[in-house]
Amino acid sequence: MSTQRYSVTPHPIETLLTWVKSGEIAIPEIQRPFVWEATKVRNLLDSLYQGYPVGYLIAWRNPNVKLKDGTTSTGKRILIDGQQRVTALMASLLGVEVLNEDYETVQIRIAFNPQEETFEVANPAIRKNVAWIPDVACVFNPATSVFQLVSDYCRTNQDCTQDKIFKIIEKLRGIVHNHVGIIELAEDLDIETVTEIFIRVNSAGSPLSQADFAMSKIAVNETYGGNLLRKAIDYFCHLAIAPEFISKIKKNDTAFVGSEFFDKMKWIADVNDDIYDPTYTDMLRVAFTSEFGRGKLQDLVALLSGRNFETKQFEDAIAEASFGRLKNGIFAFINKTHFDRITMILRFAGFVTSGLIGGRNVVNFAYIVYLRGRAENVPAADLERIVRRWFVMSMLRGRYSGSPESTFDFDIRQISSRGLVSYIESVIPNELPDSFWTGMLPQFMDTSSINSPYFLCYQAAQVKLGDKGFLSRDITVTDLLLNRADVHHVYPRKFLKDEKGLSRGTYNQIANYVIAQSEINIAIGAKSPTVYFAELKAQCEGGAKKYGGITNRDELIANLATNCIPASMLDGEIKEFSEFLEERRKLMALKIKIWFSAL
């Protein structure tokens, strides 16, 4: 018995292009920028002309959907691999315009030299050179007379014979009869299986994510406005990173500017904050999870296809409702008040730069918590506190770092059944008991990863608590972080490396890091802590000012305390490095606990 879940059929390129034009095959990327360089299009045509294979295309047929009148609609094929190749063929052979990276509509013109049988990207010099046909699309235009085209060419290239040029042009026209294999996947395959097939067949390409499949489903559905929704998601993400792009949208996409989406998102072009620049995956996760109460994007793909989870059938009414709900979720995501509030909550907690934000999914679920809290009418002050604490707990515990979809799904279902406040207030004490702060966290901080969530939270704690930089009299940690300060070593790296022979993983422990002004770090240089702490003590007793502007002992002790440095070091009690790290981890963990309590 065969276990084959796909069919492989060769089809002429001509047939494939006809299917795309008629909508039999849907290309999700047709509404997105064409990312191939024109030289790749040239190379593709050359490969076809030489009779070389150009790879398989992978299509996944949408399931058949039951319509409201009881009839069944046959699902379209969605091209999930080969989109750029098919778009390249349509652009070069049929003269179809494509969107470039600036979302401008352009034509890709590939020139052909019949005498040398070579292709080149058209340019002004080629267009003036009579040896070239400046755009091969004219050769494939049904209105073109091949006889006239050859006659005109030979008139301006008198060394050529009409017979020879005619044969070459016919060979060129024949590339549309070359066959391309289409792997058609069974409609009942789940996303994980389709993804696995994609990765195995297309090992050189980028793996498709479940968000990619969801975006494909959205893009090819014009009945319920999916193509417009897809643009809204793409444009918002683009504007968050490049606000100046708004002028391109206004110029090149007047239909979108006139839609219900543009007015609701144009504010993002006035924002220069990069704390949360979402990708389309982030937008889909937040919109779907908050609106549908589910955490797995494969469920979104199924719902957009019209899947009834109880009957296992596909129904048009479910697809229509799902598109409506997803649109509501996207509107909630791009709402200015909501977006401003989530970034404000993060900033208020001390996360003043994007560099302090850990995994993106931690922010995503914090936004979901915020949106669900709004839907449940949780008082604003209570909701902000809940979101802050959940965000930090998730960072410290790595809640969404392993298998985020499963955890998203678990958390949102619990929130849906138990209520937001009740669930969150039961989880946080469980995840962060007293033993976490005194036992687990100091152990977790035994790491040299500068991007570890523990060091990121420590810096946010210093921001929130208003700490001054290491040995600074006036400059705060906030000032330093906002000016992209580097972290510096309490026990200088060169000293530990050269004098003590320690490895990078040891001297770069996060418990050896402080946020300090570069001039203070330069002044310390490679000095032993024994030397520079003695000079600090002397500085507070009327000696030379070598490190920052603090000249009062009590002020210096206070600065060391806020930076979690044992004050005893001022009196010459310089510990062995390993001892220092152990003690400082405990002090840093205690600071994070104090900060968390204040959230």
Side-chain angles (χ1 to χ4, degrees):
M1 179 179 171
S2 173
T3 60
Q4 189 164 301
R5 308 299 303 279
Y6 64 93
S7 61
V8 183
T9 315
H11 290 285
I13 287 171
E14 187 175 42
T15 302
L16 182 66
L17 296 178
T18 302
W19 283 348
V20 174
K21 284 191 289 184
S22 68
E24 170 65 21
I25 282 188
I27 306 183
E29 302 300 318
I30 207 79
Q31 295 293 335
R32 305 188 83 209
F34 180 66
V35 297
W36 266 20
E37 297 286 338
T39 50
K40 287 192 77 172
V41 181
R42 175 202 66 196
N43 294 344
L44 176 66
L45 292 190
D46 187 60
S47 293
L48 288 168
Y49 187 78
Q50 302 295 341
Y52 299 156
V54 292
Y56 286 95
L57 307 177
I58 304 179
W60 186 22
R61 188 181 281 280
N62 270 338
N64 295 339
V65 173
K66 185 187 290 183
L67 302 177
K68 290 171 188 171
D69 62 3
T71 60
T72 299
S73 168
T74 305
K76 289 182 181 180
R77 297 180 181 94
I78 297 180
L79 202 59
I80 63 169
D81 184 37
Q83 296 168 1
Q84 294 286 307
R85 277 171 289 163
V86 173
T87 305
L89 290 171
M90 293 186 71
S92 58
L93 303 185
L94 304 182
V96 174
E97 294 181 323
V98 296
L99 295 171
N100 65 13
E101 289 184 310
D102 290 325
Y103 286 79
E104 292 171 331
T105 304
V106 296
Q107 277 197 305
I108 295 172
R109 290 185 170 89
I110 304 299
F112 180 67
N113 186 325
Q115 298 172 57
E116 297 179 359
E117 297 184 65
T118 54
F119 296 86
E120 196 47 77
V121 179
N123 59 43
I126 281 175
R127 282 192 276 274
K128 290 176 186 172
N129 188 334
V130 295
W132 291 86
I133 295 171
D135 186 356
V136 295
C138 74
V139 176
F140 295 90
N141 188 329
T144 297
S145 162
V146 178
F147 176 78
Q148 190 65 50
L149 187 147
V150 172
S151 298
D152 292 345
Y153 184 85
C154 291
R155 191 178 306 116
T156 54
N157 294 271
Q158 294 184 355
D159 293 343
C160 301
T161 65
Q162 288 200 5
D163 186 51
K164 181 183 177 185
I165 297 301
F166 186 84
K167 285 177 180 174
I168 289 169
I169 295 297
E170 280 299 294
K171 180 182 175 184
L172 173 61
R173 283 165 59 90
I175 66 176
V176 296
H177 304 303
N178 291 16
H179 283 69
V180 175
I182 296 183
I183 300 172
E184 187 165 317
L185 305 179
E187 64 190 54
D188 59 345
L189 291 177
D190 57 48
I191 295 176
E192 282 82 0
T193 307
V194 173
T195 306
E196 179 66 22
I197 292 170
F198 176 89
I199 291 168
R200 292 189 186 200
V201 172
N202 185 35
S203 57
S206 302
L208 284 179
S209 68
Q210 295 186 355
D212 292 324
F213 284 118
M215 289 292 268
S216 295
K217 288 285 187 184
I218 294 165
V220 300
N221 189 304
E222 296 182 14
T223 308
Y224 305 126
N227 51 337
L228 205 58
L229 184 59
R230 166 65 173 266
K231 273 190 183 180
I233 296 168
D234 275 331
Y235 282 166
F236 186 86
C237 295
H238 199 93
L239 286 171
I241 297 168
E244 68 280 2
F245 178 64
I246 196 162
S247 60
K248 302 277 187 186
I249 298 175
K250 289 177 178 176
K251 177 185 172 186
N252 300 318
D253 201 343
T254 51
F256 184 80
V257 170
S259 74
E260 58 186 325
F261 291 100
F262 185 71
D263 273 345
K264 290 181 166 65
M265 71 158 61
K266 63 185 180 183
W267 61 269
I268 192 71
D270 298 322
V271 175
N272 293 314
D273 192 337
D274 69 344
I275 283 182
Y276 182 37
D277 286 338
T279 63
Y280 65 80
T281 304
D282 300 324
M283 286 186 72
L284 284 176
R285 282 203 194 288
V286 174
F288 172 61
T289 304
S290 59
E291 186 67 28
F292 288 76
R294 292 172 175 266
K296 297 185 176 180
L297 285 178
Q298 69 186 72
D299 289 350
L300 174 59
V301 175
L303 287 162
L304 294 176
S305 301
R307 183 175 177 82
N308 182 322
F309 286 105
E310 291 179 8
T311 66
K312 314 296 186 196
Q313 301 299 307
F314 292 87
E315 301 169 17
D316 191 51
I318 291 175
E320 182 178 9
S322 299
F323 269 94
R325 291 183 71 183
L326 181 61
K327 186 168 80 169
N328 291 339
I330 294 297
F331 277 147
F333 186 102
I334 65 177
N335 178 284
K336 185 179 189 303
T337 301
H338 297 166
F339 200 87
D340 284 349
R341 196 53 53 98
I342 191 66
T343 53
M344 183 203 77
I345 290 169
L346 296 176
R347 196 179 292 105
F348 183 82
F351 298 91
V352 290
T353 72
S354 57
L356 294 180
I357 304 291
R360 186 63 64 84
N361 279 319
V362 182
V363 187
N364 291 340
F365 206 87
Y367 201 0
I368 290 163
V369 169
Y370 173 77
L371 293 174
R372 289 300 289 238
R374 292 274 302 205
E376 292 184 21
N377 295 314
V378 177
D382 294 346
L383 179 56
E384 288 165 19
R385 181 171 185 270
I386 281 171
V387 174
R388 285 194 298 269
R389 288 166 64 80
W390 185 267
F391 176 76
V392 172
M393 179 278 292
S394 300
M395 269 188 80
L396 289 172
R397 300 300 281 139
R399 191 172 186 86
Y400 303 110
S401 57
S403 48
E405 284 219 325
S406 299
T407 315
F408 267 46
D409 197 58
F410 177 81
D411 281 339
I412 196 64
R413 288 177 188 273
Q414 292 295 313
I415 287 168
S416 298
S417 64
R418 296 166 58 179
L420 181 74
V421 177
S422 170
Y423 178 60
I424 283 182
E425 289 186 345
S426 69
V427 171
I428 290 178
N430 237 8
E431 290 289 321
L432 302 175
D434 286 342
S435 59
F436 173 80
W437 308 108
T438 55
M440 296 165 72
L441 184 54
Q443 288 180 41
F444 292 155
M445 296 178 88
D446 183 358
T447 175
S448 59
S449 170
I450 199 168
N451 293 315
S452 79
Y454 320 113
F455 189 57
L456 298 179
C457 284
Y458 171 75
Q459 293 172 80
Q462 286 209 290
V463 169
K464 175 67 176 169
L465 298 172
D467 292 351
K468 299 278 180 26
F470 178 58
L471 305 183
S472 291
R473 189 187 65 188
D474 304 306
I475 308 295
T476 64
V477 170
T478 305
D479 296 328
L480 292 168
L481 290 174
L482 289 176
N483 286 287
R484 308 200 180 282
D486 294 327
V487 297
H488 301 299
H489 298 74
V490 180
Y491 281 56
R493 174 175 53 191
K494 189 168 173 54
F495 164 73
L496 292 173
K497 186 180 176 184
D498 297 349
E499 300 288 325
K500 301 291 186 181
L502 298 182
S503 67
R504 182 176 179 178
T506 305
Y507 61 68
N508 278 346
Q509 284 282 305
I510 64 171
N512 193 31
Y513 284 144
V514 284
I515 309 299
Q517 294 170 246
S518 56
E519 53 268 37
I520 290 174
N521 180 59
I522 291 166
I524 292 172
K527 292 174 187 170
S528 156
T530 305
V531 173
Y532 84 82
F533 269 91
E535 291 174 333
L536 276 169
K537 183 181 181 184
Q539 181 172 312
C540 292
E541 294 170 350
K545 268 202 290 188
K546 293 189 175 183
Y547 312 105
I550 300 175
T551 55
N552 175 283
R553 180 181 170 87
D554 290 342
E555 200 178 328
L556 182 55
I557 287 173
N559 180 275
L560 294 177
T562 60
N563 285 282
C564 302
I565 309 291
S568 58
M569 293 179 74
L570 263 187
D571 297 318
E573 293 182 28
I574 308 298
K575 303 173 185 298
E576 282 296 318
F577 184 55
S578 59
E579 236 185 303
F580 165 77
L581 291 178
E582 193 173 338
E583 184 167 348
R584 188 159 186 252
R585 286 181 194 121
K586 291 175 183 175
L587 294 171
M588 291 169 77
L590 183 61
K591 176 175 281 286
I592 295 172
K593 180 187 180 184
I594 292 167
W595 162 66
F596 183 77
S597 300
L599 294 177

